[in-house]
Amino acid sequence: MSQNIAQILMQSLEKKNQILDDIIRENALQEEILKQDELDMDALDASLSRIGEYAEMLEKLDDGFEAVYDKVRTEIMTNKSKYHAEITRMQSDIQQITDKVVKINAARMRNQMRADAQFKKQAQGIKNAMSKTKVSRNYYNNMNKLNYVSPQFYDSKK
C-alpha cells in the first residue's frame, strides 16, 4: 500500500468527522426548534432534509472507505510497523467518530421525545378547538330552536 492509499483512508475519516459535526449542529438546531412554544414545521422539515442528505453522504463515505480498506487490508496487517503512524491516526479518528455517533444518537432520542410532546400538544390543541366549535354550533342550534314558535292557529288534522 502506498502512502496515497493511507492518505485516502484518513481523508475519508476526516470527511466523516466533519459530516458528523454538521449532524450534531443540525440536532442542536432541531432541539431549539422543538423547544419553542409554537412549532415551526417548515424549519423542522428543512432540518430533517439536511440530516437526510448528510446520512447519504456518510453512507457513500463508508462504502468507499470499506472498498479501499478491503483492497489494502492484507498489506496493512503484514506491514503494521511501516504504517504505524497512519494506523494510530485512523484509530484516533475512528474513536472520535464513535463518540460523535453516540452523541448524535442521544440527541436524536431527546429530540424524538420533544417532537412527540410537541405533536401531542398540537393534537390536543386541535381536539380542543374542534370541541369548542362543536359546543358553539350546538349552542347556536339550541338557541335558534328556543326562538321558534310553532303556528298557533294551524290545524294539523286533514
Side-chain angles (χ1 to χ4, degrees):
M1 173 174 88
S2 68
Q3 295 293 2
N4 290 337
I5 299 295
Q7 291 296 324
I8 290 171
L9 291 173
M10 287 187 294
Q11 286 175 355
S12 176
L13 292 173
E14 288 171 5
K15 286 180 185 177
K16 188 170 183 176
N17 251 328
Q18 291 170 354
I19 291 172
L20 289 172
D21 287 336
D22 292 339
I23 291 174
I24 289 170
R25 280 191 289 280
E26 280 299 322
N27 278 339
L29 176 65
Q30 282 181 8
E31 184 176 349
E32 291 302 315
I33 291 169
L34 292 169
K35 281 183 179 178
Q36 297 174 357
D37 289 336
E38 188 66 32
L39 183 62
D40 185 358
M41 289 299 291
D42 293 333
L44 183 61
D45 188 45
S47 179
L48 290 171
S49 294
R50 285 189 296 271
I51 285 181
E53 292 170 6
Y54 293 143
E56 288 177 16
M57 287 186 237
L58 284 175
E59 190 174 326
K60 288 178 184 178
L61 283 172
D62 282 343
D63 292 344
F65 183 87
E66 287 179 25
V68 171
Y69 183 73
D70 287 342
K71 291 179 182 179
V72 296
R73 178 186 325 207
T74 55
E75 179 155 351
I76 290 175
M77 294 301 173
T78 56
N79 298 320
K80 284 185 180 182
S81 60
K82 182 178 177 184
Y83 300 108
H84 180 70
E86 289 85 359
I87 291 171
T88 303
R89 181 156 177 228
M90 283 190 270
Q91 287 174 335
S92 172
D93 287 346
I94 290 170
Q95 182 60 45
Q96 288 176 359
I97 289 168
T98 303
D99 293 343
K100 288 177 183 179
V101 167
V102 168
K103 184 177 180 179
I104 288 168
N105 285 335
R108 276 186 40 224
M109 294 302 289
R110 284 191 307 271
N111 286 345
Q112 179 66 39
M113 290 174 21
R114 282 191 181 96
D116 289 345
Q118 279 281 6
F119 295 148
K120 186 176 181 181
K121 182 175 130 184
Q122 285 190 346
Q124 187 65 33
I126 291 170
K127 184 177 177 183
N128 288 342
M130 290 178 69
S131 176
K132 288 176 183 177
T133 302
K134 184 178 178 183
V135 168
S136 175
R137 185 177 48 240
N138 286 340
Y139 175 78
Y140 176 76
N141 289 337
N142 288 333
M143 294 311 287
N144 279 339
K145 289 178 186 175
L146 288 177
N147 292 332
Y148 177 73
V149 177
S150 60
Q152 301 299 314
F153 299 106
Y154 179 69
D155 185 15
S156 59
K157 296 180 186 175
K158 279 201 176 190

